[in-house]
Amino acid sequence: MFGDNLKKYRTEKELSQSELAEKLFVTRQCVSKWEKNITEPDLKMLSRISEVLEVPVEALLKDVGVAKSPPDYNSRLLVMNVLIAVFSLFAYFALWRFLPKTIPAHWNIAGEIDRYGSRAEVFINFGTTALFAAITVGTYFVLKRTHEVKSAIAFHILMAIFQTAYFIFVVVMYAEYINGVPSFITCIAAAALLCFSAATHPKINKKNYFLGVRTTATLSSAEVWDKTNTLGCYMLAGLSAVIYTVNMCVIFDLSNLCLLSYIIPAVIAKVYSDVIYKRTEKENE
């Protein structure tokens, strides 16, 4: 886009934003907005920029107006379903941890328990989750060849609903037998945030500003967005893994207070984004 081209040729001429602004008789903020693609110069100013940077107008406008390739919903929604499957595995493992050694294993038509078994039978759900994942991945490659966007969206959303509904069914089925409910809930929350953290990484969450650390700084600069959310992803994942592990090992009534620790990475990410943004602005002056 124009802003990217302007920044490229400005840096090649070894000019700061302030120096270019002085030559163009505009403010540094004006140049900054051009490079961020917030505004664009008029034709007269565009000609002046071309003279100062000694590049053709066509070079400054290269790729402007070129149609962007449509979002790859098939890949994006595949990631969503894979993360739901990973979350389910963590959740079933936590369910096994907090169930008594002997649990109901079968119900008759009347809803009465007619067989008891080991809590290890919960691991049968690992197979169901793996089957969901295999179907999802297999269909992904089929849809990738056919380029059926609507079919991809419909399929992945349907699979997400199936996986979520199955998980809820399993948890509800054993809910009354769960020991250490606060620790179990904390484990489920930590597992969910662990998977969510993966979804916020810039390499996965490409150009999606609905996920991630949304601040004035991150929304103003792609560089700040990437750096802040990379750090945020690692901090959130690491903290979630610690909270999950601690609550799997130790059962205590006030375990939900562990979730308050998520304030720490949120504050660090906010401060980090502001520092990076100010440094970037200073380098461009």
Side-chain angles (χ1 to χ4, degrees):
M1 298 179 69
F2 169 74
D4 300 318
N5 294 331
L6 176 61
K7 184 175 182 179
K8 172 187 173 184
Y9 293 117
R10 174 180 64 77
T11 53
E12 285 180 358
K13 293 286 289 184
E14 298 183 351
L15 293 173
S16 67
Q17 288 185 343
S18 297
E19 290 171 337
L20 178 60
E22 186 177 347
K23 291 179 180 293
L24 297 173
F25 303 104
V26 297
T27 63
R28 187 197 66 79
Q29 288 77 12
C30 182
V31 175
S32 177
K33 288 182 178 179
W34 289 341
E35 292 189 353
K36 293 177 181 176
N37 294 300
I38 297 175
T39 60
E40 292 184 359
D42 57 26
L43 292 177
K44 184 177 180 180
M45 180 56 69
L46 189 61
S47 177
R48 175 62 182 159
I49 294 172
S50 173
E51 293 176 3
V52 171
L53 296 180
E54 299 179 341
V55 294
V57 172
E58 292 77 11
L60 291 170
L61 297 176
K62 188 172 75 172
D63 292 334
V64 173
V66 175
K68 297 181 179 179
S69 57
D72 185 1
Y73 289 110
N74 191 25
S75 296
R76 292 184 181 183
L77 293 174
L78 170 68
V79 172
M80 176 188 72
N81 274 310
V82 168
L83 290 177
I84 291 176
V86 172
F87 162 73
S88 298
L89 295 177
F90 276 108
Y92 295 143
F93 188 60
L95 185 62
W96 167 84
R97 167 66 178 86
F98 293 100
L99 284 175
K101 292 184 178 180
T102 301
I103 59 173
H106 191 269
W107 289 259
N108 58 29
I109 298 178
E112 299 172 341
I113 301 171
D114 58 11
R115 185 175 72 84
Y116 286 85
S118 169
R119 64 179 179 177
E121 293 191 25
V122 169
F123 291 128
I124 294 174
N125 297 296
F126 275 48
T128 306
T129 302
L131 178 61
F132 277 130
I135 294 173
T136 301
V137 173
T139 307
Y140 160 78
F141 285 109
V142 172
L143 293 170
K144 186 177 181 180
R145 289 186 176 183
T146 60
H147 302 289
E148 289 285 342
V149 177
K150 292 183 178 178
S151 297
I153 293 174
F155 168 76
H156 286 295
I157 290 178
L158 190 62
M159 289 302 296
I161 293 174
F162 278 155
Q163 288 197 90
T164 305
Y166 183 80
F167 164 74
I168 293 173
F169 169 75
V170 173
V171 172
V172 169
M173 185 169 61
Y174 294 111
E176 62 179 300
Y177 307 102
I178 295 174
N179 299 315
V181 173
S183 289
F184 173 73
I185 292 175
T186 303
C187 284
I188 295 299
L193 288 169
L194 178 61
C195 294
F196 176 79
S197 67
T200 62
H201 195 288
K203 288 187 177 180
I204 296 177
N205 179 35
K206 297 178 180 178
K207 305 300 182 183
N208 182 357
Y209 292 99
F210 290 100
L211 297 177
V213 182
R214 293 171 56 85
T215 67
T216 302
T218 57
L219 294 177
S220 300
S221 168
E223 180 183 358
V224 177
W225 173 271
D226 288 346
K227 289 184 177 180
T228 301
N229 281 286
T230 298
L231 175 66
C233 168
Y234 295 144
M235 287 193 299
L236 187 60
L239 180 59
S240 297
V242 170
I243 291 176
Y244 181 88
T245 303
V246 168
N247 281 273
M248 286 288 285
C249 297
V250 182
I251 297 177
F252 54 104
D253 293 336
L254 298 178
S255 62
N256 295 148
L257 294 177
C258 292
L259 300 178
L260 293 177
S261 60
Y262 283 108
I263 295 175
I264 297 173
V267 172
I268 293 176
K270 173 64 170 66
V271 173
Y272 180 73
S273 69
D274 291 339
V275 171
I276 294 295
Y277 181 71
K278 290 178 181 178
R279 188 177 70 183
T280 303
E281 287 289 289
K282 189 174 181 180
E283 290 175 352
N284 290 329
E285 289 181 356

PDB file of all heavy atoms in Angstrom, residues 208-242:
ATOM      1  N   ASN A 208      -6.228 -10.375  12.422  1.00  0.00           N
ATOM      2  CA  ASN A 208      -7.523 -10.450  13.095  1.00  0.00           C
ATOM      3  C   ASN A 208      -7.431  -9.660  14.389  1.00  0.00           C
ATOM      4  O   ASN A 208      -6.882 -10.129  15.376  1.00  0.00           O
ATOM      5  CB  ASN A 208      -7.887 -11.909  13.406  1.00  0.00           C
ATOM      6  CG  ASN A 208      -9.250 -12.028  14.075  1.00  0.00           C
ATOM      7  OD1 ASN A 208      -9.907 -11.036  14.355  1.00  0.00           O
ATOM      8  ND2 ASN A 208      -9.673 -13.244  14.339  1.00  0.00           N
ATOM      9  N   TYR A 209      -7.983  -8.448  14.374  1.00  0.00           N
ATOM     10  CA  TYR A 209      -7.834  -7.565  15.517  1.00  0.00           C
ATOM     11  C   TYR A 209      -8.937  -7.744  16.555  1.00  0.00           C
ATOM     12  O   TYR A 209      -9.092  -6.928  17.453  1.00  0.00           O
ATOM     13  CB  TYR A 209      -7.771  -6.112  15.043  1.00  0.00           C
ATOM     14  CG  TYR A 209      -6.499  -5.821  14.269  1.00  0.00           C
ATOM     15  CD1 TYR A 209      -6.487  -5.800  12.885  1.00  0.00           C
ATOM     16  CD2 TYR A 209      -5.291  -5.615  14.939  1.00  0.00           C
ATOM     17  CE1 TYR A 209      -5.307  -5.559  12.180  1.00  0.00           C
ATOM     18  CE2 TYR A 209      -4.120  -5.374  14.246  1.00  0.00           C
ATOM     19  CZ  TYR A 209      -4.128  -5.340  12.861  1.00  0.00           C
ATOM     20  OH  TYR A 209      -2.970  -5.114  12.180  1.00  0.00           O
ATOM     21  N   PHE A 210      -9.710  -8.823  16.442  1.00  0.00           N
ATOM     22  CA  PHE A 210     -10.713  -9.114  17.462  1.00  0.00           C
ATOM     23  C   PHE A 210     -10.099  -9.932  18.600  1.00  0.00           C
ATOM     24  O   PHE A 210     -10.587  -9.920  19.717  1.00  0.00           O
ATOM     25  CB  PHE A 210     -11.901  -9.873  16.852  1.00  0.00           C
ATOM     26  CG  PHE A 210     -12.733  -9.024  15.943  1.00  0.00           C
ATOM     27  CD1 PHE A 210     -12.581  -9.108  14.566  1.00  0.00           C
ATOM     28  CD2 PHE A 210     -13.645  -8.123  16.455  1.00  0.00           C
ATOM     29  CE1 PHE A 210     -13.339  -8.314  13.711  1.00  0.00           C
ATOM     30  CE2 PHE A 210     -14.401  -7.319  15.612  1.00  0.00           C
ATOM     31  CZ  PHE A 210     -14.253  -7.409  14.248  1.00  0.00           C
ATOM     32  N   LEU A 211      -9.011 -10.651  18.285  1.00  0.00           N
ATOM     33  CA  LEU A 211      -8.299 -11.413  19.305  1.00  0.00           C
ATOM     34  C   LEU A 211      -7.001 -10.696  19.632  1.00  0.00           C
ATOM     35  O   LEU A 211      -6.444  -9.996  18.803  1.00  0.00           O
ATOM     36  CB  LEU A 211      -7.989 -12.832  18.807  1.00  0.00           C
ATOM     37  CG  LEU A 211      -9.178 -13.742  18.498  1.00  0.00           C
ATOM     38  CD1 LEU A 211      -8.686 -15.062  17.942  1.00  0.00           C
ATOM     39  CD2 LEU A 211     -10.024 -13.987  19.737  1.00  0.00           C
ATOM     40  N   GLY A 212      -6.509 -10.904  20.815  1.00  0.00           N
ATOM     41  CA  GLY A 212      -5.233 -10.316  21.180  1.00  0.00           C
ATOM     42  C   GLY A 212      -5.373  -9.098  22.064  1.00  0.00           C
ATOM     43  O   GLY A 212      -6.460  -8.738  22.513  1.00  0.00           O
ATOM     44  N   VAL A 213      -4.227  -8.454  22.320  1.00  0.00           N
ATOM     45  CA  VAL A 213      -4.170  -7.282  23.195  1.00  0.00           C
ATOM     46  C   VAL A 213      -4.577  -6.054  22.402  1.00  0.00           C
ATOM     47  O   VAL A 213      -3.831  -5.568  21.546  1.00  0.00           O
ATOM     48  CB  VAL A 213      -2.747  -7.108  23.768  1.00  0.00           C
ATOM     49  CG1 VAL A 213      -2.703  -5.907  24.712  1.00  0.00           C
ATOM     50  CG2 VAL A 213      -2.304  -8.366  24.498  1.00  0.00           C
ATOM     51  N   ARG A 214      -5.748  -5.531  22.694  1.00  0.00           N
ATOM     52  CA  ARG A 214      -6.270  -4.378  21.969  1.00  0.00           C
ATOM     53  C   ARG A 214      -6.043  -3.098  22.786  1.00  0.00           C
ATOM     54  O   ARG A 214      -6.731  -2.845  23.761  1.00  0.00           O
ATOM     55  CB  ARG A 214      -7.761  -4.550  21.681  1.00  0.00           C
ATOM     56  CG  ARG A 214      -8.084  -5.661  20.702  1.00  0.00           C
ATOM     57  CD  ARG A 214      -9.586  -5.917  20.632  1.00  0.00           C
ATOM     58  NE  ARG A 214     -10.321  -4.715  20.290  1.00  0.00           N
ATOM     59  CZ  ARG A 214     -10.538  -4.289  19.050  1.00  0.00           C
ATOM     60  NH1 ARG A 214     -10.070  -4.995  18.034  1.00  0.00           N
ATOM     61  NH2 ARG A 214     -11.218  -3.190  18.819  1.00  0.00           N
ATOM     62  N   THR A 215      -5.034  -2.334  22.398  1.00  0.00           N
ATOM     63  CA  THR A 215      -4.772  -1.043  23.023  1.00  0.00           C
ATOM     64  C   THR A 215      -4.598  -0.016  21.912  1.00  0.00           C
ATOM     65  O   THR A 215      -4.500  -0.374  20.732  1.00  0.00           O
ATOM     66  CB  THR A 215      -3.491  -1.079  23.880  1.00  0.00           C
ATOM     67  OG1 THR A 215      -2.353  -1.264  23.020  1.00  0.00           O
ATOM     68  CG2 THR A 215      -3.539  -2.209  24.904  1.00  0.00           C
ATOM     69  N   THR A 216      -4.531   1.250  22.277  1.00  0.00           N
ATOM     70  CA  THR A 216      -4.314   2.291  21.274  1.00  0.00           C
ATOM     71  C   THR A 216      -3.010   2.053  20.536  1.00  0.00           C
ATOM     72  O   THR A 216      -2.917   2.236  19.317  1.00  0.00           O
ATOM     73  CB  THR A 216      -4.273   3.674  21.956  1.00  0.00           C
ATOM     74  OG1 THR A 216      -5.498   3.894  22.663  1.00  0.00           O
ATOM     75  CG2 THR A 216      -4.091   4.775  20.921  1.00  0.00           C
ATOM     76  N   ALA A 217      -2.000   1.613  21.281  1.00  0.00           N
ATOM     77  CA  ALA A 217      -0.678   1.374  20.679  1.00  0.00           C
ATOM     78  C   ALA A 217      -0.701   0.203  19.699  1.00  0.00           C
ATOM     79  O   ALA A 217      -0.194   0.305  18.583  1.00  0.00           O
ATOM     80  CB  ALA A 217       0.344   1.115  21.780  1.00  0.00           C
ATOM     81  N   THR A 218      -1.283  -0.934  20.094  1.00  0.00           N
ATOM     82  CA  THR A 218      -1.274  -2.118  19.228  1.00  0.00           C
ATOM     83  C   THR A 218      -2.136  -1.911  17.982  1.00  0.00           C
ATOM     84  O   THR A 218      -1.826  -2.447  16.920  1.00  0.00           O
ATOM     85  CB  THR A 218      -1.759  -3.360  19.985  1.00  0.00           C
ATOM     86  OG1 THR A 218      -3.074  -3.129  20.512  1.00  0.00           O
ATOM     87  CG2 THR A 218      -0.829  -3.701  21.127  1.00  0.00           C
ATOM     88  N   LEU A 219      -3.211  -1.160  18.121  1.00  0.00           N
ATOM     89  CA  LEU A 219      -4.085  -0.936  16.969  1.00  0.00           C
ATOM     90  C   LEU A 219      -3.528   0.133  16.027  1.00  0.00           C
ATOM     91  O   LEU A 219      -4.014   0.278  14.912  1.00  0.00           O
ATOM     92  CB  LEU A 219      -5.486  -0.518  17.450  1.00  0.00           C
ATOM     93  CG  LEU A 219      -6.267  -1.589  18.223  1.00  0.00           C
ATOM     94  CD1 LEU A 219      -7.604  -1.018  18.717  1.00  0.00           C
ATOM     95  CD2 LEU A 219      -6.518  -2.820  17.359  1.00  0.00           C
ATOM     96  N   SER A 220      -2.515   0.866  16.476  1.00  0.00           N
ATOM     97  CA  SER A 220      -1.922   1.923  15.653  1.00  0.00           C
ATOM     98  C   SER A 220      -0.727   1.442  14.847  1.00  0.00           C
ATOM     99  O   SER A 220      -0.309   2.105  13.901  1.00  0.00           O
ATOM    100  CB  SER A 220      -1.491   3.099  16.538  1.00  0.00           C
ATOM    101  OG  SER A 220      -2.588   3.651  17.232  1.00  0.00           O
ATOM    102  N   SER A 221      -0.161   0.306  15.227  1.00  0.00           N
ATOM    103  CA  SER A 221       1.048  -0.169  14.555  1.00  0.00           C
ATOM    104  C   SER A 221       1.055  -1.686  14.463  1.00  0.00           C
ATOM    105  O   SER A 221       0.876  -2.377  15.467  1.00  0.00           O
ATOM    106  CB  SER A 221       2.289   0.311  15.323  1.00  0.00           C
ATOM    107  OG  SER A 221       3.456  -0.335  14.870  1.00  0.00           O
ATOM    108  N   ALA A 222       1.262  -2.198  13.259  1.00  0.00           N
ATOM    109  CA  ALA A 222       1.323  -3.645  13.055  1.00  0.00           C
ATOM    110  C   ALA A 222       2.518  -4.241  13.795  1.00  0.00           C
ATOM    111  O   ALA A 222       2.450  -5.347  14.330  1.00  0.00           O
ATOM    112  CB  ALA A 222       1.425  -3.958  11.562  1.00  0.00           C
ATOM    113  N   GLU A 223       3.616  -3.510  13.836  1.00  0.00           N
ATOM    114  CA  GLU A 223       4.812  -3.990  14.537  1.00  0.00           C
ATOM    115  C   GLU A 223       4.554  -4.134  16.031  1.00  0.00           C
ATOM    116  O   GLU A 223       4.921  -5.145  16.648  1.00  0.00           O
ATOM    117  CB  GLU A 223       5.978  -3.018  14.306  1.00  0.00           C
ATOM    118  CG  GLU A 223       7.260  -3.444  15.007  1.00  0.00           C
ATOM    119  CD  GLU A 223       8.389  -2.440  14.841  1.00  0.00           C
ATOM    120  OE1 GLU A 223       8.185  -1.413  14.136  1.00  0.00           O
ATOM    121  OE2 GLU A 223       9.469  -2.655  15.415  1.00  0.00           O
ATOM    122  N   VAL A 224       3.919  -3.124  16.605  1.00  0.00           N
ATOM    123  CA  VAL A 224       3.604  -3.164  18.041  1.00  0.00           C
ATOM    124  C   VAL A 224       2.612  -4.284  18.318  1.00  0.00           C
ATOM    125  O   VAL A 224       2.712  -4.988  19.327  1.00  0.00           O
ATOM    126  CB  VAL A 224       3.033  -1.806  18.520  1.00  0.00           C
ATOM    127  CG1 VAL A 224       2.640  -1.885  19.997  1.00  0.00           C
ATOM    128  CG2 VAL A 224       4.058  -0.703  18.313  1.00  0.00           C
ATOM    129  N   TRP A 225       1.637  -4.454  17.430  1.00  0.00           N
ATOM    130  CA  TRP A 225       0.645  -5.525  17.580  1.00  0.00           C
ATOM    131  C   TRP A 225       1.334  -6.893  17.621  1.00  0.00           C
ATOM    132  O   TRP A 225       1.069  -7.697  18.509  1.00  0.00           O
ATOM    133  CB  TRP A 225      -0.359  -5.483  16.439  1.00  0.00           C
ATOM    134  CG  TRP A 225      -1.314  -6.647  16.428  1.00  0.00           C
ATOM    135  CD1 TRP A 225      -1.135  -7.852  15.814  1.00  0.00           C
ATOM    136  CD2 TRP A 225      -2.575  -6.732  17.099  1.00  0.00           C
ATOM    137  NE1 TRP A 225      -2.208  -8.676  16.045  1.00  0.00           N
ATOM    138  CE2 TRP A 225      -3.113  -8.011  16.830  1.00  0.00           C
ATOM    139  CE3 TRP A 225      -3.316  -5.849  17.887  1.00  0.00           C
ATOM    140  CZ2 TRP A 225      -4.343  -8.433  17.321  1.00  0.00           C
ATOM    141  CZ3 TRP A 225      -4.553  -6.260  18.371  1.00  0.00           C
ATOM    142  CH2 TRP A 225      -5.054  -7.543  18.091  1.00  0.00           C
ATOM    143  N   ASP A 226       2.226  -7.133  16.677  1.00  0.00           N
ATOM    144  CA  ASP A 226       2.895  -8.433  16.595  1.00  0.00           C
ATOM    145  C   ASP A 226       3.767  -8.702  17.823  1.00  0.00           C
ATOM    146  O   ASP A 226       3.708  -9.784  18.414  1.00  0.00           O
ATOM    147  CB  ASP A 226       3.753  -8.510  15.333  1.00  0.00           C
ATOM    148  CG  ASP A 226       2.912  -8.620  14.069  1.00  0.00           C
ATOM    149  OD1 ASP A 226       1.701  -8.900  14.184  1.00  0.00           O
ATOM    150  OD2 ASP A 226       3.457  -8.428  12.965  1.00  0.00           O
ATOM    151  N   LYS A 227       4.568  -7.726  18.206  1.00  0.00           N
ATOM    152  CA  LYS A 227       5.472  -7.920  19.340  1.00  0.00           C
ATOM    153  C   LYS A 227       4.707  -8.088  20.651  1.00  0.00           C
ATOM    154  O   LYS A 227       5.037  -8.952  21.468  1.00  0.00           O
ATOM    155  CB  LYS A 227       6.446  -6.742  19.444  1.00  0.00           C
ATOM    156  CG  LYS A 227       7.484  -6.705  18.337  1.00  0.00           C
ATOM    157  CD  LYS A 227       8.474  -5.571  18.551  1.00  0.00           C
ATOM    158  CE  LYS A 227       9.560  -5.584  17.477  1.00  0.00           C
ATOM    159  NZ  LYS A 227      10.540  -4.482  17.668  1.00  0.00           N
ATOM    160  N   THR A 228       3.691  -7.257  20.843  1.00  0.00           N
ATOM    161  CA  THR A 228       2.920  -7.315  22.094  1.00  0.00           C
ATOM    162  C   THR A 228       2.170  -8.630  22.213  1.00  0.00           C
ATOM    163  O   THR A 228       2.165  -9.269  23.267  1.00  0.00           O
ATOM    164  CB  THR A 228       1.922  -6.146  22.172  1.00  0.00           C
ATOM    165  OG1 THR A 228       2.630  -4.906  22.108  1.00  0.00           O
ATOM    166  CG2 THR A 228       1.128  -6.195  23.468  1.00  0.00           C
ATOM    167  N   ASN A 229       1.551  -9.057  21.127  1.00  0.00           N
ATOM    168  CA  ASN A 229       0.755 -10.283  21.194  1.00  0.00           C
ATOM    169  C   ASN A 229       1.603 -11.538  21.204  1.00  0.00           C
ATOM    170  O   ASN A 229       1.169 -12.575  21.714  1.00  0.00           O
ATOM    171  CB  ASN A 229      -0.247 -10.311  20.043  1.00  0.00           C
ATOM    172  CG  ASN A 229      -1.451  -9.430  20.329  1.00  0.00           C
ATOM    173  OD1 ASN A 229      -2.310  -9.773  21.122  1.00  0.00           O
ATOM    174  ND2 ASN A 229      -1.499  -8.262  19.692  1.00  0.00           N
ATOM    175  N   THR A 230       2.814 -11.462  20.682  1.00  0.00           N
ATOM    176  CA  THR A 230       3.736 -12.590  20.810  1.00  0.00           C
ATOM    177  C   THR A 230       4.116 -12.771  22.275  1.00  0.00           C
ATOM    178  O   THR A 230       4.067 -13.884  22.816  1.00  0.00           O
ATOM    179  CB  THR A 230       5.003 -12.361  19.969  1.00  0.00           C
ATOM    180  OG1 THR A 230       4.639 -12.274  18.585  1.00  0.00           O
ATOM    181  CG2 THR A 230       5.980 -13.507  20.142  1.00  0.00           C
ATOM    182  N   LEU A 231       4.481 -11.663  22.919  1.00  0.00           N
ATOM    183  CA  LEU A 231       4.805 -11.719  24.345  1.00  0.00           C
ATOM    184  C   LEU A 231       3.598 -12.157  25.163  1.00  0.00           C
ATOM    185  O   LEU A 231       3.704 -13.018  26.042  1.00  0.00           O
ATOM    186  CB  LEU A 231       5.296 -10.350  24.831  1.00  0.00           C
ATOM    187  CG  LEU A 231       5.563 -10.235  26.337  1.00  0.00           C
ATOM    188  CD1 LEU A 231       6.727 -11.129  26.735  1.00  0.00           C
ATOM    189  CD2 LEU A 231       5.839  -8.777  26.731  1.00  0.00           C
ATOM    190  N   GLY A 232       2.429 -11.560  24.856  1.00  0.00           N
ATOM    191  CA  GLY A 232       1.205 -11.903  25.590  1.00  0.00           C
ATOM    192  C   GLY A 232       0.846 -13.374  25.455  1.00  0.00           C
ATOM    193  O   GLY A 232       0.414 -14.006  26.421  1.00  0.00           O
ATOM    194  N   CYS A 233       1.035 -13.919  24.257  1.00  0.00           N
ATOM    195  CA  CYS A 233       0.748 -15.337  24.011  1.00  0.00           C
ATOM    196  C   CYS A 233       1.591 -16.230  24.900  1.00  0.00           C
ATOM    197  O   CYS A 233       1.081 -17.140  25.560  1.00  0.00           O
ATOM    198  CB  CYS A 233       0.995 -15.670  22.538  1.00  0.00           C
ATOM    199  SG  CYS A 233       1.007 -17.432  22.168  1.00  0.00           S
ATOM    200  N   TYR A 234       2.897 -15.954  24.939  1.00  0.00           N
ATOM    201  CA  TYR A 234       3.810 -16.788  25.735  1.00  0.00           C
ATOM    202  C   TYR A 234       3.532 -16.654  27.231  1.00  0.00           C
ATOM    203  O   TYR A 234       3.582 -17.644  27.970  1.00  0.00           O
ATOM    204  CB  TYR A 234       5.262 -16.431  25.424  1.00  0.00           C
ATOM    205  CG  TYR A 234       5.666 -16.752  24.002  1.00  0.00           C
ATOM    206  CD1 TYR A 234       6.540 -15.936  23.291  1.00  0.00           C
ATOM    207  CD2 TYR A 234       5.162 -17.883  23.358  1.00  0.00           C
ATOM    208  CE1 TYR A 234       6.909 -16.240  21.984  1.00  0.00           C
ATOM    209  CE2 TYR A 234       5.520 -18.193  22.063  1.00  0.00           C
ATOM    210  CZ  TYR A 234       6.393 -17.364  21.375  1.00  0.00           C
ATOM    211  OH  TYR A 234       6.744 -17.675  20.081  1.00  0.00           O
ATOM    212  N   MET A 235       3.248 -15.431  27.691  1.00  0.00           N
ATOM    213  CA  MET A 235       2.970 -15.236  29.113  1.00  0.00           C
ATOM    214  C   MET A 235       1.675 -15.930  29.511  1.00  0.00           C
ATOM    215  O   MET A 235       1.604 -16.604  30.550  1.00  0.00           O
ATOM    216  CB  MET A 235       2.867 -13.734  29.434  1.00  0.00           C
ATOM    217  CG  MET A 235       4.176 -12.991  29.419  1.00  0.00           C
ATOM    218  SD  MET A 235       4.041 -11.341  30.175  1.00  0.00           S
ATOM    219  CE  MET A 235       2.813 -10.575  29.099  1.00  0.00           C
ATOM    220  N   LEU A 236       0.649 -15.782  28.687  1.00  0.00           N
ATOM    221  CA  LEU A 236      -0.646 -16.381  28.986  1.00  0.00           C
ATOM    222  C   LEU A 236      -0.573 -17.898  28.963  1.00  0.00           C
ATOM    223  O   LEU A 236      -1.127 -18.577  29.839  1.00  0.00           O
ATOM    224  CB  LEU A 236      -1.690 -15.889  27.978  1.00  0.00           C
ATOM    225  CG  LEU A 236      -3.144 -16.289  28.231  1.00  0.00           C
ATOM    226  CD1 LEU A 236      -3.622 -15.749  29.579  1.00  0.00           C
ATOM    227  CD2 LEU A 236      -4.042 -15.758  27.117  1.00  0.00           C
ATOM    228  N   ALA A 237       0.149 -18.441  27.989  1.00  0.00           N
ATOM    229  CA  ALA A 237       0.294 -19.896  27.887  1.00  0.00           C
ATOM    230  C   ALA A 237       1.068 -20.444  29.076  1.00  0.00           C
ATOM    231  O   ALA A 237       0.688 -21.461  29.676  1.00  0.00           O
ATOM    232  CB  ALA A 237       0.989 -20.263  26.581  1.00  0.00           C
ATOM    233  N   GLY A 238       2.165 -19.779  29.422  1.00  0.00           N
ATOM    234  CA  GLY A 238       2.987 -20.238  30.537  1.00  0.00           C
ATOM    235  C   GLY A 238       2.236 -20.196  31.855  1.00  0.00           C
ATOM    236  O   GLY A 238       2.271 -21.167  32.637  1.00  0.00           O
ATOM    237  N   LEU A 239       1.535 -19.096  32.108  1.00  0.00           N
ATOM    238  CA  LEU A 239       0.779 -18.955  33.358  1.00  0.00           C
ATOM    239  C   LEU A 239      -0.349 -19.972  33.412  1.00  0.00           C
ATOM    240  O   LEU A 239      -0.606 -20.573  34.466  1.00  0.00           O
ATOM    241  CB  LEU A 239       0.219 -17.533  33.463  1.00  0.00           C
ATOM    242  CG  LEU A 239      -0.602 -17.219  34.721  1.00  0.00           C
ATOM    243  CD1 LEU A 239       0.233 -17.447  35.978  1.00  0.00           C
ATOM    244  CD2 LEU A 239      -1.106 -15.781  34.682  1.00  0.00           C
ATOM    245  N   SER A 240      -1.025 -20.200  32.290  1.00  0.00           N
ATOM    246  CA  SER A 240      -2.123 -21.169  32.241  1.00  0.00           C
ATOM    247  C   SER A 240      -1.622 -22.580  32.536  1.00  0.00           C
ATOM    248  O   SER A 240      -2.269 -23.337  33.257  1.00  0.00           O
ATOM    249  CB  SER A 240      -2.797 -21.133  30.867  1.00  0.00           C
ATOM    250  OG  SER A 240      -3.379 -19.871  30.620  1.00  0.00           O
ATOM    251  N   ALA A 241      -0.469 -22.916  31.977  1.00  0.00           N
ATOM    252  CA  ALA A 241       0.115 -24.242  32.212  1.00  0.00           C
ATOM    253  C   ALA A 241       0.455 -24.433  33.692  1.00  0.00           C
ATOM    254  O   ALA A 241       0.229 -25.505  34.268  1.00  0.00           O
ATOM    255  CB  ALA A 241       1.365 -24.430  31.355  1.00  0.00           C
ATOM    256  N   VAL A 242       0.974 -23.383  34.321  1.00  0.00           N
ATOM    257  CA  VAL A 242       1.326 -23.453  35.746  1.00  0.00           C
ATOM    258  C   VAL A 242       0.075 -23.624  36.601  1.00  0.00           C
ATOM    259  O   VAL A 242       0.021 -24.483  37.499  1.00  0.00           O
ATOM    260  CB  VAL A 242       2.102 -22.191  36.181  1.00  0.00           C
ATOM    261  CG1 VAL A 242       2.244 -22.146  37.707  1.00  0.00           C
ATOM    262  CG2 VAL A 242       3.475 -22.154  35.527  1.00  0.00           C
TER     263      VAL A 242
END
